[in-house]
Amino acid sequence: PRGQLSILAGRPGMGKSAAATSFLLRAAKANHNCQFLSLEMTGEQLGSRMLTDLAFVADSPINYDDIQHHRLDDRQRERLRTARKQLSGLPIEVVDQRGLTLADIQAKARRRAAALDRKGERLDVLFVDHIGLVHASERYAGNRVRELAEITDTLATLAKELDCAVVG
């Protein structure tokens, strides 16, 4: 919901990033302006994940791994070209940068929100993948529980400030 932080949690390798990119695409297809801050995957990896989602056909899925290793036939390449055109028209901004601090995240989200505001639009959803890699302030250095509390509190406050949904 707008103005709130939602946490997508799970064990490593359970598909949190895949779910987040799927949520991102669904939101963007519904014409919601989205920003995706990736602290883990590169823009190329995210793009491949989104393309496999957009080009999905139940009886002939294209695997993410096949894109990464260039194991595609001509039909799959054409489906991906079509998906790429669709993706380029969606209201998504992807930032792939490791080592973001809370201040960096706030600045990037505020900048995106301001740019959209100048066009008479608004930032609807901010995705942060993943909050375990966000650098907290030095205030609670060494106390991971307190650091995560600071990160989630800051993201929740940002959601309220920008009146957008934040998914971490």
Side-chain angles (χ1 to χ4, degrees):
R2 237 179 225 296
Q4 293 184 24
L5 169 65
S6 298
I7 302 290
L8 182 60
R11 295 175 59 82
M14 296 303 291
K16 296 178 298 296
S17 295
T21 56
S22 186
F23 298 157
L24 169 72
L25 287 173
R26 270 48 181 183
K29 282 178 169 181
N31 207 34
H32 296 293
N33 288 303
C34 302
Q35 184 178 45
F36 194 98
L37 304 178
S38 177
L39 286 80
E40 185 174 35
M41 290 191 295
T42 66
E44 182 181 327
Q45 290 170 318
L46 282 168
S48 294
R49 281 188 186 265
M50 289 187 278
L51 290 175
T52 60
D53 195 329
L54 290 170
F56 181 78
V57 175
D59 62 344
S60 179
I62 300 172
N63 294 316
Y64 167 77
D65 193 55
D66 290 339
I67 293 175
Q68 293 299 303
H69 293 95
H70 308 287
R71 294 186 301 247
L72 302 167
D73 63 32
D74 289 339
R75 269 188 24 247
Q76 290 172 321
R77 281 189 189 86
E78 183 56 36
R79 283 172 42 205
L80 289 174
R81 273 192 283 282
T82 301
R84 182 172 285 139
K85 287 178 189 171
Q86 184 182 7
L87 181 59
S88 69
L90 294 176
I92 297 172
E93 178 187 70
V94 172
V95 176
D96 63 333
Q97 185 177 344
R98 287 186 158 283
L100 291 177
T101 65
L102 285 170
D104 295 333
I105 290 169
Q106 290 171 308
K108 289 178 185 310
R110 288 175 181 143
R111 209 173 1 246
R112 174 73 170 153
L116 289 167
D117 189 53
R118 286 190 293 277
K119 297 188 319 185
E121 299 177 23
R122 62 196 279 180
L123 178 61
D124 296 302
V125 188
L126 170 66
F127 293 86
V128 180
D129 185 36
H130 71 65
I131 64 173
L133 297 176
V134 174
H135 288 287
S137 70
E138 295 298 315
R139 183 176 183 187
Y140 301 111
N143 185 337
R144 193 61 185 151
V145 171
R146 297 298 301 160
E147 287 176 343
L148 284 173
E150 179 185 36
I151 292 166
T152 57
D153 181 60
T154 300
L155 293 176
T157 301
L158 186 62
K160 285 188 185 308
E161 174 191 329
L162 299 178
D163 190 33
C164 72
V166 176
V167 179

